Amino acid sequence: MTDTTEKAAVKATAGAAPTAPEPAPAPRTARLWRGATPWLFLLAPLALLIVFTYAPIANMVAYSFTDWDGVSPELHYTGTENYAELFTRSDLFEVFWVSGYYLAASVFQIVAALYFATILSFNVRFRNFFKGVLFFPYLINGVAIGFVFLYFFQDGGTLDSVLGLFGVETDRAWLGTPESANTSLAAVSIWRYLGLNFVLFLGAIQSIPGELYEAAELDGANRWHQFRYIIAPGIKPVLSLTVILSISGSLSVFEIPYIMTGGATGTETFVIQTVKLAFQFNKTGLASAAAVVLLLIVLAVTWVQRRLVPDDKVDLA
Amino acid sequence: MTRRAVARTLMYLSLVAATVVVLLPLAAVVLTSLKSESEMADDSGALALPDDLLNFHNYATAFEDGRMLSAFANTAIILLFAIGGTVLIGSMTAYAIDRFTFRFKKLVVALFLVAALVPGVTTQVATFQIVNSFGMFDSLWAPIALYMGTDIVSIYIFLQFVRSIPTSLDEAARLDGANAFTIYRKIIFPLLKPAIATVVIVKGITTYNDFYIPFLYMPSEDLGVISTSLFRFKGPFGAHWETISAGAVLVILPTLIVFLLLQRFIYNGFMKGATR
């Protein structure tokens, strides 16, 4: 692109005038000043990055080997006791099963988003309206969504009213048992996040050159063939990104269940538990160990994804 | 009908079904927000129309008793500083990384890269202690600093953009005697306008909607932002769904307006933000 031609041009002129005199070396202070310039630009960003990202990670790892309560000046080194507690106390580890509901939901979510992105990338009436409707929930405030769906699942709320229209009378407490509560919450998460996946897929599909479809159509390919052989390979990178976002998202669910149920009736997720351990029960050490475990899992998932689907374009520098 | 017509019908049906699924829960809340207390009590169901479609009484209650005015003000202050800071920091970082070669550049780049992989929720336990030690706990500065300091995505967006600005512009300015700061201020920054628009929108929406950070770092009631103030409706308004609904609609409305006005930019922004 521009900068490669730019460089080529510079090289060409350099080649044409090999005898051009070298510029005299800059004076010492000027050189020092030049060397410092990038650091002046990076001072604030790096300071913030280290203070709010790397220092917490380092501290968190350190706390995870102690019995600190987060307040008292005293903390004792306890070795790997927190980790042992985490992996052996079944109630602490159980919260991971809740993620299963969200993981299952994200499979459905990805398939649905892919379907809608595919059909809406072709000519459809009211296309922009449907696009807007599908994406909008992603932009809504999480607390507002929580309240909308608390009302939705309420006894005599939206869902019961709709079912009533079809003559189905339920006196089900949708958020009353762990299974139906988690299913309901996972459904809310589909409602909320489908739009993001949809927009990402739509963008990727639209970046596939249109001639490909025309050529395929001439060869007698139908919509399914077009999807299978043009669209699916074309959006592979975005698809794999979505898969990691879904896995790490399912492990770190917080907002919706915290707002809607407060983690009651078996809907407590890993992050809710960590927040409670740290800020309600003052078990900073144990909470840190939990956070380290979650962080390691997320990093591992990302690493596996990078291995399986290497980025063909190199990022940065 | 031909097979093609059947397929088309099914496709439109699926789109309409999805529209109903998205809009119905929202519509029910809008209807509820317009009902009076006695209408709520008569058990006619969530989808019954309110008697008076222009009954904004609940909105007044939600706005005043829910202290929404100060919530909007606090949110606005945080938005202003967080977005301004993010734009400045992101563009400076991108300029330094793309236009200079210096020692440890690879390390710096790697630091930003790896940070992008760390989900913020996991480190909050320890971040809390740091914020606390700076005395920023329970002040507007805590979310502002956190939003500014941990936004790696905007750095990526700026970086891609700086890369597309031809270096010949810098060189020309340098020959005219401009130093790095003048080049950044007079050439790079103004040319970054489209990227700045993207970052302002994406950052603005995520900041406006964030619950976790203000909830953890600003427990006092005076410091409520819109999410935490709305969350507090759970207590005093308990089962008063008409007031809670009005509060929720009040919070969603600005997002809807911004979305309708800036649709195109918002789609692009989130696409760039997520895929980098």
Side-chain angles (χ1 to χ4, degrees), chain B residues 108-246:
Chain B
V108 170
V109 170
L111 282 178
F112 281 109
L113 245 169
V114 172
L117 304 177
V118 177
V121 286
T122 61
T123 53
Q124 232 43 254
V125 177
T127 308
F128 185 87
Q129 307 299 337
I130 289 185
V131 170
N132 202 9
S133 70
F134 282 127
M136 291 193 292
F137 176 66
D138 215 12
S139 81
L140 292 174
W141 293 112
I144 290 172
L146 287 170
Y147 292 141
M148 270 202 282
T150 54
D151 190 20
I152 315 296
V153 171
S154 67
I155 293 178
Y156 276 94
I157 294 175
F158 281 123
L159 201 62
Q160 292 208 324
F161 224 90
V162 172
R163 231 181 276 164
S164 71
I165 299 173
T167 41
S168 57
L169 283 178
D170 304 29
E171 279 151 22
R174 200 169 290 261
L175 287 179
D176 287 342
N179 64 21
F181 294 93
T182 324
I183 292 172
Y184 166 74
R185 203 161 49 86
K186 293 239 166 100
I187 295 176
I188 304 288
F189 195 77
L191 283 174
L192 283 178
K193 260 183 211 143
I196 293 172
T198 301
V199 169
V200 167
I201 289 172
V202 173
K203 190 78 190 171
I205 290 173
T206 48
T207 307
Y208 179 83
N209 287 337
D210 189 37
F211 170 70
Y212 195 65
I213 287 177
F215 175 71
L216 278 186
Y217 293 97
M218 301 193 303
S220 348
E221 216 168 309
D222 311 335
L223 293 174
V225 295
I226 57 133
S227 358
T228 46
S229 297
L230 186 62
F231 185 64
R232 289 195 187 109
F233 275 42
K234 240 187 154 173
F237 299 114
H240 284 277
W241 278 107
E242 69 282 4
T243 316
I244 294 182
S245 299

Side-chain angles (χ1 to χ4, degrees), chain B residues 8-89:
Chain B
R8 258 194 116 60
T9 317
L10 284 178
M11 183 192 82
Y12 278 106
L13 271 179
S14 69
L15 284 170
V16 171
T19 308
V20 171
V21 170
V22 169
L23 295 185
L24 193 84
L26 296 172
V29 165
V30 173
L31 287 179
T32 304
S33 72
L34 298 170
K35 289 179 186 167
S36 67
E37 215 169 316
S38 58
E39 282 176 86
M40 287 302 288
D42 72 7
D43 214 26
S44 51
L47 297 175
L49 283 178
D51 292 339
D52 177 6
L53 275 172
L54 295 174
N55 167 27
F56 293 121
H57 176 74
N58 299 320
Y59 286 89
T61 315
F63 196 77
E64 273 161 37
D65 299 357
R67 312 181 67 173
M68 294 303 268
L69 189 63
S70 84
F72 276 109
N74 287 334
T75 307
I77 296 170
I78 293 178
L79 277 176
L80 190 74
F81 280 97
I83 292 178
T86 304
V87 166
L88 213 60
I89 282 170

Side-chain angles (χ1 to χ4, degrees), chain A residues 14-93:
Chain A
T19 49
E22 288 277 312
R28 221 180 119 76
T29 46
R31 254 186 307 154
L32 265 178
W33 189 236
R34 262 199 82 108
T37 314
W39 295 106
L40 291 175
F41 280 99
L42 287 169
L43 203 64
L46 272 179
L48 286 167
L49 181 73
I50 288 164
V51 169
F52 293 114
T53 302
Y54 287 101
I57 296 176
N59 286 348
M60 188 171 82
V61 174
Y63 297 153
S64 76
F65 295 106
T66 69
D67 65 352
W68 197 33
D69 60 6
V71 212
S72 74
E74 259 175 72
L75 75 178
H76 305 105
Y77 176 75
T78 57
T80 53
E81 214 169 81
N82 288 325
Y83 291 94
E85 190 176 350
L86 210 57
F87 286 105
T88 50
R89 249 176 72 186
S90 62
D91 57 313
L92 289 180
F93 213 69

Side-chain angles (χ1 to χ4, degrees), chain A residues 18-290:
Chain A
T19 49
E22 288 277 312
R28 221 180 119 76
T29 46
R31 254 186 307 154
L32 265 178
W33 189 236
R34 262 199 82 108
T37 314
W39 295 106
L40 291 175
F41 280 99
L42 287 169
L43 203 64
L46 272 179
L48 286 167
L49 181 73
I50 288 164
V51 169
F52 293 114
T53 302
Y54 287 101
I57 296 176
N59 286 348
M60 188 171 82
V61 174
Y63 297 153
S64 76
F65 295 106
T66 69
D67 65 352
W68 197 33
D69 60 6
V71 212
S72 74
E74 259 175 72
L75 75 178
H76 305 105
Y77 176 75
T78 57
T80 53
E81 214 169 81
N82 288 325
Y83 291 94
E85 190 176 350
L86 210 57
F87 286 105
T88 50
R89 249 176 72 186
S90 62
D91 57 313
L92 289 180
F93 213 69
E94 239 160 44
V95 288
F96 268 119
W97 300 117
V98 174
S99 299
Y101 286 92
Y102 294 92
L103 217 49
S106 32
V107 174
F108 177 85
Q109 183 179 311
I110 290 173
V111 172
L114 204 51
Y115 165 76
F116 286 118
T118 309
I119 62 176
L120 286 176
S121 60
F122 294 105
N123 212 357
V124 170
R125 228 173 290 181
F126 308 116
R127 197 168 142 218
N128 285 331
F129 170 76
F130 289 126
K131 254 171 81 175
V133 165
L134 285 172
F135 183 58
F136 183 62
Y138 179 69
L139 303 176
I140 302 180
N141 186 287
V143 182
I145 293 181
F147 285 162
V148 166
F149 279 94
L150 263 181
Y151 188 58
F152 186 84
F153 290 120
Q154 264 247 320
D155 190 25
T158 317
L159 186 55
D160 285 348
S161 302
V162 172
L163 292 174
L165 288 181
F166 293 102
V168 186
E169 291 297 328
T170 55
D171 46 350
R172 231 187 127 144
W174 297 102
L175 300 174
T177 65
E179 242 155 77
S180 82
N182 278 317
T183 313
S184 304
L185 293 175
V188 176
S189 119
I190 298 176
W191 187 89
R192 186 180 187 189
Y193 291 111
L194 181 94
L196 179 67
N197 290 350
F198 160 76
V199 162
L200 295 181
F201 292 149
L202 197 67
I205 293 176
Q206 278 167 356
S207 66
I208 298 171
E211 302 93 80
L212 283 181
Y213 300 114
E214 286 161 28
E217 230 152 284
L218 287 178
D219 289 343
N222 62 23
R223 277 287 144 86
W224 167 247
H225 290 138
Q226 289 182 2
F227 176 79
R228 174 72 188 76
Y229 296 106
I230 301 175
I231 296 178
I235 62 170
K236 216 171 122 197
V238 174
L239 199 60
S240 93
L241 174 81
T242 310
V243 171
I244 342 183
L245 288 179
S246 301
I247 297 174
S248 62
S250 305
L251 292 167
S252 42
V253 175
F254 170 73
E255 243 179 46
I256 292 296
Y258 190 84
I259 292 159
M260 289 179 64
T261 64
T265 52
T267 58
E268 190 165 272
T269 65
F270 197 75
V271 177
I272 295 181
Q273 176 182 273
T274 309
V275 167
K276 281 190 176 165
L277 281 177
F279 302 110
Q280 270 174 33
F281 306 126
N282 288 337
K283 295 199 164 189
T284 306
L286 188 58
S288 300

